[in-house]
Amino acid sequence: MTRYIRRAAAFCLVLLVALLVNSARVQVFEADSLDDNPANRRGTIERYDQPRGDILVGGRPVTGSRDTGEQLRYERTYKNGPLYAPVTGYASQVYGTSLLEHAEDGILSGTDPMLAPLPLWNDLTRSQQPGGDVATTIDAAAQRAAYRGLAGRRGAVAALNPATGEILALVSSPSYDPGAIAGTDSATTSAWTDLNGAASQPMLNRAIRQTYPPGSTFKIVTAAAALDSGTVTDVDGPTHTPSPWVLPDTSTRLENEATGCEDASLADAIRVSCNTVMAKLGVEVGLNGMVSAARKFGFDDAGIRIPSSVSRSNFDTDMDRSQLALSSIGQFNTTATPLQMAMVSAAVANGGILMSPHLVERTTDEHGATVAQTGSKEYKQAMNPATAVELQRMMQGAVEDGTGTNAQIPGVTVGGKTGTAQHGVGNKGIPYAWFISWARSPDAGAPGVAVAVVVEDASADRADISGGGSAAPIARDVMEAVLNSAGNSAGNSADNSAGNSG
Amino acid sequence: MTGSRGPTGARAGASPPTVPAVPAVRLPRRRGTELVLIVLAVLLSVYGYCEVGLARHGSVPPGAAGYGAGLGVLALVAHCAVRFRAPYADPLLLPIAVLLNGLGLVLIYRLDLETPDDQAAPTQLVWSTFGVALFIAVVVLVRDHRVLQRYAYLSAVAALFLMILPIFFPAVNGARIWLRIGGFSIQPGEFAKVLLAIFFASYLAANRNALSYTGRKIWRFQLPTMRVFAPILVFWLISVGVLVLERDLGTSLLFFGLFIVMLYVATGRVSWIAIGLVLAAGGAVVVGALEPHVNSRVQDWLHPFASIDAGQGPGQVAQSLFAFAAGGILGAGLGAGHSILIGFAAKSDFILATAGEELGLVGLTAIFLLYALLVERGYRAGLALRDPFGRLLAIGLASIVALQVFVIAGGVMGLIPLTGMAMPFLAQGGSSVVTNWIIVALLVRIGDSARAQLLPDDALEAHR
């Protein structure tokens, strides 16, 4: 019997070995694929097991986390959700993340190895740290002014600090509350369905993800090209342009909305917005010159990140002369995001140097210690400094005594350019009202803010839609808000010293 | 291994009968070793209990001292019973049982934290206490395992009665294997295992020569005479048939395996294995075809992720595999896993998944080795004994543990189709814990007898 007992024991040993080998199979060799199975909730549970880091505006969080006590424990909350939605994006337990919530997810969720005290070791163990914070460059007052100005109409505002590239306002309208799609319940699902089905596309970030024909605001780019290339040497000299002007190689007559464009100077053409002069200058600069000028401002660049990607603004590279003429006044296939046009304005304001636009000032760990800082860096030299000075003067003219008088701020130097872009079949669509501008406080050496506003307003009277009418007042409010908050911080210290001396 | 050869050597070296008081060979009792190991087992369990609390709440759970004291007292009382009534018993059996039982309580307590409305650990502790009480009763009352041989047919009848009983009670979760009395659920089939092992061991010990050497021979297979074989076959058919009716597939598989192993050990006929496999294959095909329940288990085994592809989310086996995978080599740590995602039966049939996720491959291997050690000690006792009944009983009891661990562990880890069964000592389930304590008690008794054989005759008499 002993022999048979030994054999039975050997059988038991086989069973043991089978179990151990199988354990190694499941826990080691197939572990990764099992971990990555989309039906495995572990990753999701771990992700929401701690409060998400916050996104800060002016040092104050505009986000929060709510302990739901459910399996996915912490749910994202938003203060002033619709106002900041184009900045923050959403962080949903069901639908993932977008914009800053997406771009800085590693910091916010605590998985970024830089958050760990020993990054390399942490990379190995992949353990989670408390979520860090993301401080934005947004100026709360400017953001509010822009949102209030759009007042629910379809449109967008982008404002930049020309000297640093910091994005001071980024508003898209109509907006939505990202808090409504943060959770997992049925209300979340229906909110998501409604938001995606809405004709007004509230979840579309029009400031960076929608391109519009820039219309006359593009004339700034054309003017820069004309001056830089030497096509125009005297901004106040006549340009020998008939009005109307027949597009080259066609019989199509290009008209002007404005009067006094016959043989107008470049300065006057910018001031009153002459189509004929700018279209002709674009053709004279030539396709290569126009393309290279546009690209210096950021057109045709699909790689701009703020850190979320910005849609590519377009200036065609293969056109005949009549198409080039139309493109030079922001029509034909020329399109731009509102942020792109703010960059055009900022480049002029900053003496020709275009700074890379960015939305994140710095990221910190949970205690506020800096993890990474976004420094200001130059994107491109968009034009010669002398050209910038001329363009500043011309844009000032447009505001003082041209199409953009609605943007005037008492005691402040403001330069701007209106645009009214036609679109749709036969140009019968509601035009987009554009305004790009910059402003300089009297005591400041350089402009402190550059802004672009676009309003697409189907409910408004067609005749009323013009850059000067709808868009310029919004730009003015935003610029005023920026200059005031900058002035306030300076003014506060002045008040203090005054109080001390008194 | 030396056990089977040992007795003659020991006896040859025994002193002349004129000096009975001083045996030439002093047989170590090793009770001190057992005590040290028991203390370690209790400490390890308390450590696990504390770790759960620290991981979940950052503090030692308030019940830690009480839990440790309870488990410690139980283990010490059991140790005393062994020390006085089975002094030559194997010193590993009791510590392993204490450790597995303690670890099981920790895992159930840990899962209780996820289900505030369903607290299973306190009940499990009550059942463990009852189990230890029965352990002590068996060690104290059963002075010689050979006594059990007399109750072979009584055991058979009792086993059948216990198995048939639940048919008259309502089904729970699709299986008619439960008796609900008051707040407690009893699974009588669990107790039947031990009774069945006693019956098989007794019958086979009495008839093994007839089974081995009589009957016709077909080709190379020696068939037994029907007169000897019929009772055991009929009995086996009834028991397996009843279990199939009750949809208790795991236990029927276990009985079947137990039957084959014991028959082989008793007769040494490979033909039994062949017949067994043919019967098993035939039975599996028939049951698989007739029972949708079984068929779905096989499908789950072959395609554990089919429900995910069908958009219905992961099934239990898939969730179990996720849990094991999440543990990896070192485990997530006690209290830090998410095995509760398995949902139903996470504390009972799928308890091993929690061990796998939170203790990792390392911890799981340790658990498997503890079971292996338990089985090995049973087999060793079987080898050392000289009476066929004792040998067969030891092999039978140890095989129950081995087969049960394999069937359930293989099931939850995707090695074989899942059949509901309790992981010995670890899983929630009173009947199972109690039964396993009885099995260990019988192995302790048999081990004691096996070692005591080495004593000189007079000392052996004194021992009995």
Side-chain angles (χ1 to χ4, degrees), chain A residues 98-168:
Chain A
S98 73
L99 301 177
L100 266 193
E101 294 273 30
H102 181 74
E104 297 292 350
D105 188 61
I107 292 285
L108 294 167
S109 66
T111 51
D112 192 314
M114 294 304 289
L115 286 172
L118 299 166
L120 281 178
W121 169 248
N122 200 70
D123 211 22
L124 204 68
T125 61
R126 297 164 90 198
S127 67
Q128 211 170 9
Q129 304 295 321
D133 292 339
V134 174
T136 65
T137 56
I138 293 291
D139 179 323
Q143 181 84 0
R144 277 196 301 271
Y147 188 75
R148 212 169 32 231
L150 285 168
R153 289 174 292 173
R154 291 189 203 177
V157 176
L160 292 167
N161 181 337
T164 60
E166 291 170 329
I167 296 175
L168 301 172

Side-chain angles (χ1 to χ4, degrees), chain B residues 60-391:
Chain B
V60 174
Y67 167 81
L71 193 66
V73 167
L74 283 182
L76 283 180
V77 173
H79 168 73
C80 289
V82 173
R83 182 174 281 265
F84 292 113
R85 292 296 193 165
Y88 296 99
D90 192 300
L92 278 180
L93 290 169
L94 187 56
I96 291 174
V98 169
L99 181 53
L100 287 172
N101 200 155
L103 188 59
L105 285 166
V106 167
L107 293 176
I108 293 168
Y109 162 75
R110 179 258 168 280
L111 288 170
D112 277 351
L113 296 177
E114 310 278 354
T115 57
D117 302 330
D118 175 26
Q119 296 294 305
T123 319
Q124 186 76 356
L125 189 57
V126 171
W127 279 113
S128 303
T129 310
F130 186 54
V132 172
L134 278 179
F135 170 91
I136 294 165
V138 169
V139 169
V140 170
L141 296 178
V142 182
R143 305 300 304 275
D144 188 331
H145 63 271
R146 285 172 295 190
V147 176
L148 297 173
Q149 199 165 5
R150 293 181 210 147
Y151 303 109
Y153 286 95
L154 187 62
S155 298
V157 173
L160 275 182
F161 175 74
L162 286 173
M163 281 189 288
I164 293 170
L165 201 56
I167 291 183
F168 304 105
F169 284 78
V172 178
N173 304 318
R176 288 181 186 278
I177 52 175
W178 300 90
L179 296 190
R180 294 232 156 172
I181 298 166
F184 288 101
S185 301
I186 301 171
Q187 215 175 332
E190 288 281 342
F191 303 110
K193 286 190 294 205
V194 181
L195 295 171
L196 214 54
I198 292 173
F199 168 67
F200 281 159
S202 173
Y203 190 86
L204 292 173
N207 299 293
R208 66 193 187 97
N209 287 333
L211 284 166
S212 305
Y213 303 117
T214 60
R216 281 182 296 166
K217 191 167 185 175
I218 296 176
W219 188 46
R220 290 180 60 190
F221 294 121
Q222 177 94 43
L223 293 181
T225 54
M226 247 6 230
R227 188 180 59 79
V228 190
F229 188 54
I232 206 161
L233 184 67
V234 167
F235 180 81
W236 174 78
L237 277 176
I238 292 174
S239 54
V240 172
V242 164
L243 293 169
V244 169
L245 275 182
E246 293 172 353
R247 291 183 167 184
D248 190 359
L249 297 163
T251 311
S252 51
L253 195 64
L254 171 63
F255 282 5
F256 186 80
L258 176 65
F259 179 65
I260 299 289
V261 167
M262 291 183 73
L263 213 45
Y264 171 74
V265 169
T267 65
R269 294 282 156 204
V270 184
S271 51
W272 288 117
I273 298 173
I275 294 170
L277 287 178
V278 169
L279 281 177
V285 169
V286 171
V287 174
L290 295 181
E291 269 282 343
H293 185 63
V294 180
N295 194 4
S296 74
R297 290 290 176 86
V298 174
Q299 290 306 319
D300 282 350
W301 168 59
L302 291 173
H303 313 287
F305 305 117
S307 64
I308 298 171
D309 300 334
Q312 294 160 341
Q316 270 186 310
V317 175
Q319 287 284 20
S320 176
L321 289 175
F322 289 163
F324 281 107
I329 293 175
L330 294 177
L334 279 170
H338 300 287
S339 53
I340 198 67
L341 288 171
I342 294 166
F344 172 69
K347 296 177 196 173
S348 48
D349 293 0
F350 286 93
I351 190 88
L352 201 63
T354 302
E357 177 164 6
E358 307 200 338
L359 303 175
L361 180 61
V362 172
L364 197 62
T365 304
I367 290 172
F368 284 148
L369 289 180
L370 283 176
Y371 284 120
L373 215 48
L374 197 62
V375 173
E376 187 260 353
R377 300 325 277 193
Y379 268 77
R380 182 152 290 195
L383 280 170
L385 270 179
R386 270 166 289 171
D387 71 293
F389 170 72
R391 303 189 102 181

